[in-house]
Amino acid sequence: MQKQESPTYLKAITIRDPSDIHSIKDDMKKNMILILRVTPLAQKDVEQLRKLVEELYSLAKSHDADIARLGEERIIVTPPGVKIWKPEYDLK
Protein backbone atom coordinates (compact mmCIF):
# COMPACT_ATOMS: atom_id res chain seq x y z
CA MET A 1 0.00 0.00 0.00
CA GLN A 2 1.28 3.45 -0.93
CA LYS A 3 1.81 6.01 1.80
CA GLN A 4 -0.34 9.10 1.24
CA GLU A 5 1.40 12.42 1.75
CA SER A 6 -0.44 15.26 3.43
CA PRO A 7 -1.48 18.02 1.03
CA THR A 8 0.15 21.44 0.82
CA TYR A 9 -2.37 24.20 1.38
CA LEU A 10 -2.41 27.68 -0.14
CA LYS A 11 -3.82 30.45 2.03
CA ALA A 12 -4.54 34.09 1.19
CA ILE A 13 -4.23 36.57 4.06
CA THR A 14 -4.84 40.31 4.20
CA ILE A 15 -2.41 42.02 6.56
CA ARG A 16 -4.11 44.88 8.35
CA ASP A 17 -1.94 45.11 11.46
CA PRO A 18 1.62 44.08 12.43
CA SER A 19 0.14 41.64 14.97
CA ASP A 20 -1.01 39.52 12.00
CA ILE A 21 2.58 38.21 11.89
CA HIS A 22 1.67 35.69 14.62
CA SER A 23 -0.84 33.80 12.49
CA ILE A 24 1.54 34.00 9.52
CA LYS A 25 4.29 32.37 11.61
CA ASP A 26 1.89 29.56 12.58
CA ASP A 27 0.94 28.99 8.95
CA MET A 28 4.61 28.94 7.92
CA LYS A 29 5.24 26.19 10.49
CA LYS A 30 2.41 24.22 8.84
CA ASN A 31 4.29 24.49 5.50
CA MET A 32 1.51 26.43 3.81
CA ILE A 33 1.93 28.54 0.69
CA LEU A 34 0.91 32.05 1.74
CA ILE A 35 -0.25 34.92 -0.43
CA LEU A 36 -0.16 38.05 1.71
CA ARG A 37 -2.03 41.19 0.67
CA VAL A 38 -0.24 44.16 2.24
CA THR A 39 -2.20 47.14 0.86
CA PRO A 40 -4.28 47.90 4.02
CA LEU A 41 -1.16 48.10 6.21
CA ALA A 42 0.71 50.08 3.53
CA GLN A 43 -2.08 52.65 3.50
CA LYS A 44 -1.96 52.90 7.30
CA ASP A 45 1.79 52.90 8.04
CA VAL A 46 4.53 52.28 5.48
CA GLU A 47 7.22 52.06 8.17
CA GLN A 48 5.35 49.26 9.99
CA LEU A 49 4.96 47.46 6.69
CA ARG A 50 8.70 47.74 6.00
CA LYS A 51 9.51 46.24 9.41
CA LEU A 52 6.97 43.44 8.92
CA VAL A 53 8.41 42.57 5.50
CA GLU A 54 11.94 42.48 6.94
CA GLU A 55 10.74 40.14 9.70
CA LEU A 56 8.96 37.94 7.15
CA TYR A 57 12.11 37.76 5.03
CA SER A 58 14.20 36.71 8.06
CA LEU A 59 11.59 34.14 9.07
CA ALA A 60 11.41 32.70 5.57
CA LYS A 61 15.18 32.33 5.35
CA SER A 62 15.39 30.73 8.81
CA HIS A 63 12.71 28.17 7.80
CA ASP A 64 14.39 27.50 4.42
CA ALA A 65 11.26 28.97 2.80
CA ASP A 66 11.16 31.27 -0.22
CA ILE A 67 9.62 34.75 -0.37
CA ALA A 68 8.94 37.17 -3.21
CA ARG A 69 6.79 40.10 -4.20
CA LEU A 70 3.75 39.56 -6.42
CA GLY A 71 3.20 42.98 -7.96
CA GLU A 72 2.61 46.02 -5.78
CA GLU A 73 0.08 44.58 -3.35
CA ARG A 74 1.09 41.03 -2.52
CA ILE A 75 3.90 38.88 -1.14
CA ILE A 76 4.15 35.12 -1.55
CA VAL A 77 5.84 32.81 0.95
CA THR A 78 6.44 29.18 0.04
CA PRO A 79 7.54 26.29 2.26
CA PRO A 80 10.83 24.39 1.87
CA GLY A 81 10.86 22.42 -1.35
CA VAL A 82 8.74 24.97 -3.24
CA LYS A 83 10.88 27.60 -4.92
CA ILE A 84 9.68 30.80 -6.56
CA TRP A 85 11.03 31.51 -10.02
CA LYS A 86 12.70 34.91 -10.09
CA PRO A 87 14.32 36.51 -13.17
CA GLU A 88 17.82 36.17 -11.70
CA TYR A 89 17.33 32.37 -11.64
CA ASP A 90 16.81 32.25 -15.41
CA LEU A 91 19.81 30.34 -16.79
CA LYS A 92 19.23 30.83 -20.54
Side-chain angles (χ1 to χ4, degrees):
M1 183 174 264
Q2 195 175 22
K3 181 182 172 187
Q4 189 175 12
E5 291 185 28
S6 60
T8 300
Y9 289 95
L10 183 141
K11 184 176 182 180
I13 301 169
T14 298
I15 300 174
R16 292 184 171 83
D17 188 82
S19 65
D20 293 337
I21 191 84
H22 301 297
S23 65
I24 294 168
K25 286 179 184 180
D26 292 340
D27 292 337
M28 285 175 72
K29 289 176 186 171
K30 295 174 188 171
N31 288 329
M32 291 181 149
I33 297 171
L34 304 173
I35 298 176
L36 310 171
R37 185 169 166 263
V38 298
T39 305
L41 183 57
Q43 291 172 340
K44 243 187 349 184
D45 190 335
V46 175
E47 185 60 26
Q48 280 187 334
L49 175 61
R50 186 186 64 74
K51 289 178 183 177
L52 184 126
V53 169
E54 287 175 359
E55 186 174 353
L56 281 173
Y57 184 83
S58 295
L59 271 169
K61 293 305 164 196
S62 71
H63 285 88
D64 199 28
D66 208 357
I67 186 169
R69 216 171 84 179
L70 289 177
E72 295 296 318
E73 296 186 359
R74 290 176 178 81
I75 296 170
I76 186 167
V77 181
T78 61
V82 178
K83 294 300 171 199
I84 302 166
W85 179 88
K86 297 172 187 159
E88 64 266 21
Y89 296 162
D90 195 10
L91 303 175
K92 292 181 180 179

CSV table of all heavy atoms in Angstrom, one decimal, residues 5-51:
chain,number,residue,atom,x,y,z
A,5,GLU,N,0.8,11.2,1.2
A,5,GLU,CA,1.4,12.4,1.8
A,5,GLU,C,0.3,13.4,2.1
A,5,GLU,O,-0.7,13.4,1.4
A,5,GLU,CB,2.4,13.1,0.8
A,5,GLU,CG,3.6,12.2,0.5
A,5,GLU,CD,4.6,13.0,-0.3
A,5,GLU,OE1,4.6,14.2,-0.4
A,5,GLU,OE2,5.4,12.3,-1.0
A,6,SER,N,0.5,14.2,3.1
A,6,SER,CA,-0.4,15.3,3.4
A,6,SER,C,-0.4,16.4,2.4
A,6,SER,O,0.7,16.7,1.9
A,6,SER,CB,-0.2,15.8,4.8
A,6,SER,OG,1.1,16.4,4.9
A,7,PRO,N,-1.5,17.0,2.1
A,7,PRO,CA,-1.5,18.0,1.0
A,7,PRO,C,-0.8,19.3,1.5
A,7,PRO,O,-0.7,19.6,2.7
A,7,PRO,CB,-3.0,18.3,0.8
A,7,PRO,CG,-3.7,17.9,2.0
A,7,PRO,CD,-2.8,16.8,2.6
A,8,THR,N,-0.4,20.1,0.5
A,8,THR,CA,0.1,21.4,0.8
A,8,THR,C,-1.0,22.4,0.6
A,8,THR,O,-1.6,22.4,-0.5
A,8,THR,CB,1.3,21.8,-0.1
A,8,THR,OG1,2.4,20.8,0.2
A,8,THR,CG2,1.9,23.2,0.2
A,9,TYR,N,-1.3,23.2,1.5
A,9,TYR,CA,-2.4,24.2,1.4
A,9,TYR,C,-1.8,25.6,1.0
A,9,TYR,O,-0.8,26.0,1.4
A,9,TYR,CB,-3.1,24.3,2.7
A,9,TYR,CG,-3.9,23.1,3.0
A,9,TYR,CD1,-3.4,22.1,3.8
A,9,TYR,CD2,-5.2,22.9,2.4
A,9,TYR,CE1,-4.2,20.9,4.1
A,9,TYR,CE2,-6.0,21.8,2.7
A,9,TYR,CZ,-5.4,20.8,3.5
A,9,TYR,OH,-6.2,19.7,3.8
A,10,LEU,N,-2.7,26.3,0.2
A,10,LEU,CA,-2.4,27.7,-0.1
A,10,LEU,C,-3.4,28.5,0.6
A,10,LEU,O,-4.6,28.2,0.6
A,10,LEU,CB,-2.6,27.9,-1.6
A,10,LEU,CG,-2.3,29.3,-2.1
A,10,LEU,CD1,-1.5,29.2,-3.5
A,10,LEU,CD2,-3.5,30.1,-2.3
A,11,LYS,N,-2.9,29.6,1.2
A,11,LYS,CA,-3.8,30.4,2.0
A,11,LYS,C,-3.6,31.9,1.7
A,11,LYS,O,-2.4,32.3,1.6
A,11,LYS,CB,-3.5,30.2,3.5
A,11,LYS,CG,-4.5,31.0,4.5
A,11,LYS,CD,-4.2,30.6,5.9
A,11,LYS,CE,-5.1,31.3,6.9
A,11,LYS,NZ,-4.8,30.9,8.3
A,12,ALA,N,-4.6,32.7,1.5
A,12,ALA,CA,-4.5,34.1,1.2
A,12,ALA,C,-4.9,34.8,2.5
A,12,ALA,O,-5.9,34.5,3.1
A,12,ALA,CB,-5.5,34.5,0.1
A,13,ILE,N,-4.1,35.8,2.8
A,13,ILE,CA,-4.2,36.6,4.1
A,13,ILE,C,-4.1,38.0,3.7
A,13,ILE,O,-3.2,38.4,3.0
A,13,ILE,CB,-3.2,36.2,5.1
A,13,ILE,CG1,-3.2,34.7,5.4
A,13,ILE,CG2,-3.3,37.0,6.4
A,13,ILE,CD1,-2.0,34.2,6.3
A,14,THR,N,-5.0,38.9,4.3
A,14,THR,CA,-4.8,40.3,4.2
A,14,THR,C,-4.2,40.8,5.5
A,14,THR,O,-4.8,40.5,6.6
A,14,THR,CB,-6.2,41.0,4.0
A,14,THR,OG1,-6.7,40.5,2.7
A,14,THR,CG2,-6.1,42.5,3.9
A,15,ILE,N,-3.1,41.5,5.4
A,15,ILE,CA,-2.4,42.0,6.6
A,15,ILE,C,-2.9,43.4,6.8
A,15,ILE,O,-2.7,44.3,6.0
A,15,ILE,CB,-0.9,42.0,6.4
A,15,ILE,CG1,-0.4,40.6,6.1
A,15,ILE,CG2,-0.2,42.6,7.6
A,15,ILE,CD1,1.1,40.5,5.7
A,16,ARG,N,-3.6,43.6,8.0
A,16,ARG,CA,-4.1,44.9,8.3
A,16,ARG,C,-3.3,45.5,9.5
A,16,ARG,O,-3.4,46.7,9.7
A,16,ARG,CB,-5.6,44.7,8.7
A,16,ARG,CG,-6.5,44.4,7.6
A,16,ARG,CD,-7.9,44.3,8.0
A,16,ARG,NE,-8.8,44.2,6.8
A,16,ARG,CZ,-9.0,43.1,6.2
A,16,ARG,NH1,-8.5,41.9,6.6
A,16,ARG,NH2,-9.8,43.0,5.1
A,17,ASP,N,-2.6,44.7,10.2
A,17,ASP,CA,-1.9,45.1,11.5
A,17,ASP,C,-0.7,44.3,11.6
A,17,ASP,O,-0.7,43.1,11.3
A,17,ASP,CB,-2.9,44.9,12.6
A,17,ASP,CG,-2.4,45.5,13.9
A,17,ASP,OD1,-2.6,46.7,14.1
A,17,ASP,OD2,-1.8,44.7,14.7
A,18,PRO,N,0.4,44.9,12.2
A,18,PRO,CA,1.6,44.1,12.4
A,18,PRO,C,1.4,42.8,13.3
A,18,PRO,O,2.2,41.9,13.2
A,18,PRO,CB,2.5,45.1,13.1
A,18,PRO,CG,2.1,46.4,12.7
A,18,PRO,CD,0.6,46.3,12.6
A,19,SER,N,0.4,42.8,14.1
A,19,SER,CA,0.1,41.6,15.0
A,19,SER,C,-0.3,40.4,14.1
A,19,SER,O,-0.3,39.3,14.6
A,19,SER,CB,-0.9,42.0,16.0
A,19,SER,OG,-2.2,42.2,15.4
A,20,ASP,N,-0.7,40.6,12.9
A,20,ASP,CA,-1.0,39.5,12.0
A,20,ASP,C,0.2,38.6,11.8
A,20,ASP,O,0.0,37.5,11.3
A,20,ASP,CB,-1.5,40.0,10.7
A,20,ASP,CG,-2.9,40.8,10.8
A,20,ASP,OD1,-3.6,40.5,11.8
A,20,ASP,OD2,-3.2,41.6,9.9
A,21,ILE,N,1.4,39.0,12.1
A,21,ILE,CA,2.6,38.2,11.9
A,21,ILE,C,2.5,36.9,12.7
A,21,ILE,O,3.0,35.9,12.2
A,21,ILE,CB,3.9,39.0,12.2
A,21,ILE,CG1,5.1,38.3,11.8
A,21,ILE,CG2,4.0,39.3,13.7
A,21,ILE,CD1,5.5,38.5,10.4
A,22,HIS,N,1.8,36.9,13.8
A,22,HIS,CA,1.7,35.7,14.6
A,22,HIS,C,1.0,34.6,13.9
A,22,HIS,O,1.4,33.4,13.9
A,22,HIS,CB,1.0,36.0,16.0
A,22,HIS,CG,1.7,37.0,16.8
A,22,HIS,ND1,3.0,36.9,17.2
A,22,HIS,CD2,1.3,38.3,17.1
A,22,HIS,CE1,3.4,38.0,17.9
A,22,HIS,NE2,2.4,38.8,17.8
A,23,SER,N,-0.1,34.9,13.2
A,23,SER,CA,-0.8,33.8,12.5
A,23,SER,C,0.0,33.4,11.3
A,23,SER,O,-0.1,32.2,10.9
A,23,SER,CB,-2.3,34.2,12.1
A,23,SER,OG,-2.2,35.3,11.2
A,24,ILE,N,0.7,34.3,10.7
A,24,ILE,CA,1.5,34.0,9.5
A,24,ILE,C,2.6,33.0,9.9
A,24,ILE,O,2.9,32.1,9.2
A,24,ILE,CB,2.1,35.3,8.9
A,24,ILE,CG1,1.0,36.1,8.3
A,24,ILE,CG2,3.2,35.0,7.9
A,24,ILE,CD1,1.4,37.5,7.9
A,25,LYS,N,3.3,33.3,11.1
A,25,LYS,CA,4.3,32.4,11.6
A,25,LYS,C,3.7,31.0,11.8
A,25,LYS,O,4.4,30.0,11.4
A,25,LYS,CB,4.8,32.9,13.0
A,25,LYS,CG,5.7,34.1,12.8
A,25,LYS,CD,6.2,34.5,14.2
A,25,LYS,CE,7.0,35.7,14.2
A,25,LYS,NZ,7.5,36.1,15.6
A,26,ASP,N,2.5,30.9,12.4
A,26,ASP,CA,1.9,29.6,12.6
A,26,ASP,C,1.7,28.8,11.3
A,26,ASP,O,1.9,27.7,11.1
A,26,ASP,CB,0.6,29.7,13.3
A,26,ASP,CG,0.7,30.2,14.8
A,26,ASP,OD1,1.8,30.0,15.3
A,26,ASP,OD2,-0.3,30.7,15.3
A,27,ASP,N,1.2,29.6,10.3
A,27,ASP,CA,0.9,29.0,9.0
A,27,ASP,C,2.2,28.6,8.3
A,27,ASP,O,2.3,27.6,7.6
A,27,ASP,CB,0.1,30.0,8.1
A,27,ASP,CG,-1.3,30.2,8.6
A,27,ASP,OD1,-1.8,29.3,9.3
A,27,ASP,OD2,-1.9,31.2,8.2
A,28,MET,N,3.3,29.3,8.5
A,28,MET,CA,4.6,28.9,7.9
A,28,MET,C,5.1,27.6,8.5
A,28,MET,O,5.6,26.8,7.8
A,28,MET,CB,5.7,30.0,8.1
A,28,MET,CG,5.5,31.2,7.2
A,28,MET,SD,6.6,32.6,7.6
A,28,MET,CE,8.1,31.9,7.0
A,29,LYS,N,4.9,27.4,9.8
A,29,LYS,CA,5.2,26.2,10.5
A,29,LYS,C,4.5,25.0,10.0
A,29,LYS,O,4.9,23.9,10.0
A,29,LYS,CB,5.0,26.3,12.0
A,29,LYS,CG,6.0,27.2,12.7
A,29,LYS,CD,5.7,27.4,14.1
A,29,LYS,CE,6.6,28.4,14.8
A,29,LYS,NZ,6.2,28.8,16.1
A,30,LYS,N,3.2,25.3,9.4
A,30,LYS,CA,2.4,24.2,8.8
A,30,LYS,C,2.8,24.0,7.4
A,30,LYS,O,2.1,23.2,6.7
A,30,LYS,CB,0.9,24.6,9.0
A,30,LYS,CG,0.4,24.7,10.4
A,30,LYS,CD,-1.0,25.2,10.4
A,30,LYS,CE,-1.4,25.5,11.8
A,30,LYS,NZ,-2.7,26.2,11.8
A,31,ASN,N,3.8,24.6,6.9
A,31,ASN,CA,4.3,24.5,5.5
A,31,ASN,C,3.2,24.9,4.5
A,31,ASN,O,3.1,24.2,3.4
A,31,ASN,CB,4.8,23.1,5.2
A,31,ASN,CG,6.1,22.9,5.9
A,31,ASN,OD1,6.9,23.8,6.1
A,31,ASN,ND2,6.4,21.7,6.3
A,32,MET,N,2.5,25.9,4.8
A,32,MET,CA,1.5,26.4,3.8
A,32,MET,C,2.2,27.4,2.8
A,32,MET,O,3.2,28.0,3.1
A,32,MET,CB,0.4,27.2,4.5
A,32,MET,CG,-0.5,26.4,5.4
A,32,MET,SD,-1.7,27.4,6.1
A,32,MET,CE,-3.1,26.3,6.3
A,33,ILE,N,1.6,27.5,1.6
A,33,ILE,CA,1.9,28.5,0.7
A,33,ILE,C,1.0,29.7,1.1
A,33,ILE,O,-0.2,29.6,1.1
A,33,ILE,CB,1.7,28.1,-0.8
A,33,ILE,CG1,2.6,26.9,-1.1
A,33,ILE,CG2,1.9,29.2,-1.7
A,33,ILE,CD1,2.2,26.2,-2.4
A,34,LEU,N,1.6,30.9,1.3
A,34,LEU,CA,0.9,32.1,1.7
A,34,LEU,C,1.0,33.2,0.7
A,34,LEU,O,2.0,33.5,0.2
A,34,LEU,CB,1.5,32.6,3.1
A,34,LEU,CG,1.5,31.5,4.2
A,34,LEU,CD1,2.3,32.1,5.4
A,34,LEU,CD2,0.1,31.1,4.6
A,35,ILE,N,-0.2,33.7,0.4
A,35,ILE,CA,-0.3,34.9,-0.4
A,35,ILE,C,-0.8,36.0,0.5
A,35,ILE,O,-1.9,36.0,1.0
A,35,ILE,CB,-1.2,34.7,-1.6
A,35,ILE,CG1,-0.6,33.6,-2.5
A,35,ILE,CG2,-1.3,36.0,-2.4
A,35,ILE,CD1,-1.5,33.3,-3.7
A,36,LEU,N,0.1,37.0,0.7
A,36,LEU,CA,-0.2,38.0,1.7
A,36,LEU,C,-0.5,39.4,1.0
A,36,LEU,O,0.4,39.9,0.2
A,36,LEU,CB,1.0,38.2,2.6
A,36,LEU,CG,1.6,36.9,3.2
A,36,LEU,CD1,2.9,37.2,3.9
A,36,LEU,CD2,0.6,36.3,4.2
A,37,ARG,N,-1.6,39.9,1.2
A,37,ARG,CA,-2.0,41.2,0.7
A,37,ARG,C,-1.7,42.3,1.7
A,37,ARG,O,-2.1,42.2,2.8
A,37,ARG,CB,-3.5,41.2,0.4
A,37,ARG,CG,-4.0,42.5,-0.3
A,37,ARG,CD,-5.4,42.3,-0.8
A,37,ARG,NE,-5.9,43.6,-1.2
A,37,ARG,CZ,-6.6,44.4,-0.4
A,37,ARG,NH1,-7.0,44.0,0.8
A,37,ARG,NH2,-7.0,45.6,-0.8
A,38,VAL,N,-0.8,43.2,1.3
A,38,VAL,CA,-0.2,44.2,2.2
A,38,VAL,C,-0.8,45.6,2.1
A,38,VAL,O,-0.5,46.5,2.9
A,38,VAL,CB,1.3,44.2,2.1
A,38,VAL,CG1,1.9,42.9,2.5
A,38,VAL,CG2,1.7,44.7,0.7
A,39,THR,N,-1.7,45.8,1.1
A,39,THR,CA,-2.2,47.1,0.9
A,39,THR,C,-2.8,47.8,2.1
A,39,THR,O,-2.5,49.0,2.3
A,39,THR,CB,-3.2,47.1,-0.3
A,39,THR,OG1,-2.6,46.5,-1.4
A,39,THR,CG2,-3.7,48.5,-0.7
A,40,PRO,N,-3.7,47.2,2.9
A,40,PRO,CA,-4.3,47.9,4.0
A,40,PRO,C,-3.2,48.4,5.0
A,40,PRO,O,-3.3,49.6,5.5
A,40,PRO,CB,-5.2,46.8,4.7
A,40,PRO,CG,-5.5,45.9,3.6
A,40,PRO,CD,-4.3,45.9,2.7
A,41,LEU,N,-2.2,47.6,5.3
A,41,LEU,CA,-1.2,48.1,6.2
A,41,LEU,C,-0.3,49.2,5.5
A,41,LEU,O,0.1,50.2,6.2
A,41,LEU,CB,-0.3,46.9,6.7
A,41,LEU,CG,0.8,47.3,7.7
A,41,LEU,CD1,0.2,47.9,8.9
A,41,LEU,CD2,1.6,46.1,8.0
A,42,ALA,N,-0.1,49.1,4.2
A,42,ALA,CA,0.7,50.1,3.5
A,42,ALA,C,0.0,51.4,3.6
A,42,ALA,O,0.6,52.5,3.7
A,42,ALA,CB,1.0,49.6,2.1
A,43,GLN,N,-1.3,51.4,3.5
A,43,GLN,CA,-2.1,52.6,3.5
A,43,GLN,C,-2.1,53.3,4.9
A,43,GLN,O,-2.2,54.5,5.0
A,43,GLN,CB,-3.5,52.4,3.0
A,43,GLN,CG,-3.6,52.1,1.6
A,43,GLN,CD,-5.0,51.6,1.1
A,43,GLN,OE1,-5.8,51.2,1.9
A,43,GLN,NE2,-5.2,51.7,-0.2
A,44,LYS,N,-2.0,52.4,5.9
A,44,LYS,CA,-2.0,52.9,7.3
A,44,LYS,C,-0.6,53.4,7.7
A,44,LYS,O,-0.5,54.5,8.3
A,44,LYS,CB,-2.4,51.8,8.2
A,44,LYS,CG,-3.6,52.1,9.0
A,44,LYS,CD,-4.1,51.1,10.0
A,44,LYS,CE,-3.5,49.8,10.2
A,44,LYS,NZ,-4.2,49.0,11.3
A,45,ASP,N,0.5,52.6,7.5
A,45,ASP,CA,1.8,52.9,8.0
A,45,ASP,C,2.9,52.2,7.2
A,45,ASP,O,3.1,51.0,7.5
A,45,ASP,CB,1.9,52.5,9.5
A,45,ASP,CG,3.1,53.0,10.2
A,45,ASP,OD1,4.1,53.3,9.5
A,45,ASP,OD2,3.1,53.2,11.4
A,46,VAL,N,3.5,52.9,6.4
A,46,VAL,CA,4.5,52.3,5.5
A,46,VAL,C,5.7,51.8,6.3
A,46,VAL,O,6.3,50.7,6.0
A,46,VAL,CB,5.0,53.3,4.4
A,46,VAL,CG1,6.1,52.7,3.6
A,46,VAL,CG2,3.8,53.7,3.5
A,47,GLU,N,6.1,52.5,7.3
A,47,GLU,CA,7.2,52.1,8.2
A,47,GLU,C,6.9,50.7,8.9
A,47,GLU,O,7.8,49.8,8.9
A,47,GLU,CB,7.6,53.1,9.2
A,47,GLU,CG,8.8,52.8,10.0
A,47,GLU,CD,10.1,52.7,9.2
A,47,GLU,OE1,10.2,53.3,8.1
A,47,GLU,OE2,11.0,52.0,9.7
A,48,GLN,N,5.7,50.5,9.4
A,48,GLN,CA,5.3,49.3,10.0
A,48,GLN,C,5.4,48.2,9.0
A,48,GLN,O,5.8,47.0,9.3
A,48,GLN,CB,4.0,49.3,10.6
A,48,GLN,CG,3.9,50.0,12.0
A,48,GLN,CD,2.5,49.9,12.6
A,48,GLN,OE1,1.5,49.8,11.9
A,48,GLN,NE2,2.5,49.9,13.9
A,49,LEU,N,4.9,48.5,7.8
A,49,LEU,CA,5.0,47.5,6.7
A,49,LEU,C,6.4,47.1,6.4
A,49,LEU,O,6.7,45.9,6.2
A,49,LEU,CB,4.3,48.0,5.4
A,49,LEU,CG,4.3,47.1,4.2
A,49,LEU,CD1,3.7,45.8,4.5
A,49,LEU,CD2,3.8,47.8,3.0
A,50,ARG,N,7.3,48.0,6.3
A,50,ARG,CA,8.7,47.7,6.0
A,50,ARG,C,9.3,46.8,7.1
A,50,ARG,O,9.9,45.8,6.7
A,50,ARG,CB,9.5,49.0,5.9
A,50,ARG,CG,11.0,48.8,5.5
A,50,ARG,CD,11.8,50.1,5.5
A,50,ARG,NE,11.9,50.6,6.9
A,50,ARG,CZ,12.7,50.1,7.8
A,50,ARG,NH1,13.4,49.0,7.6
A,50,ARG,NH2,12.8,50.6,9.0
A,51,LYS,N,9.0,47.1,8.3
A,51,LYS,CA,9.5,46.2,9.4
A,51,LYS,C,8.9,44.8,9.3
A,51,LYS,O,9.6,43.8,9.5
A,51,LYS,CB,9.2,46.9,10.8
A,51,LYS,CG,10.0,48.1,11.1
A,51,LYS,CD,9.6,48.7,12.4
A,51,LYS,CE,10.3,50.0,12.7
A,51,LYS,NZ,9.9,50.6,13.9
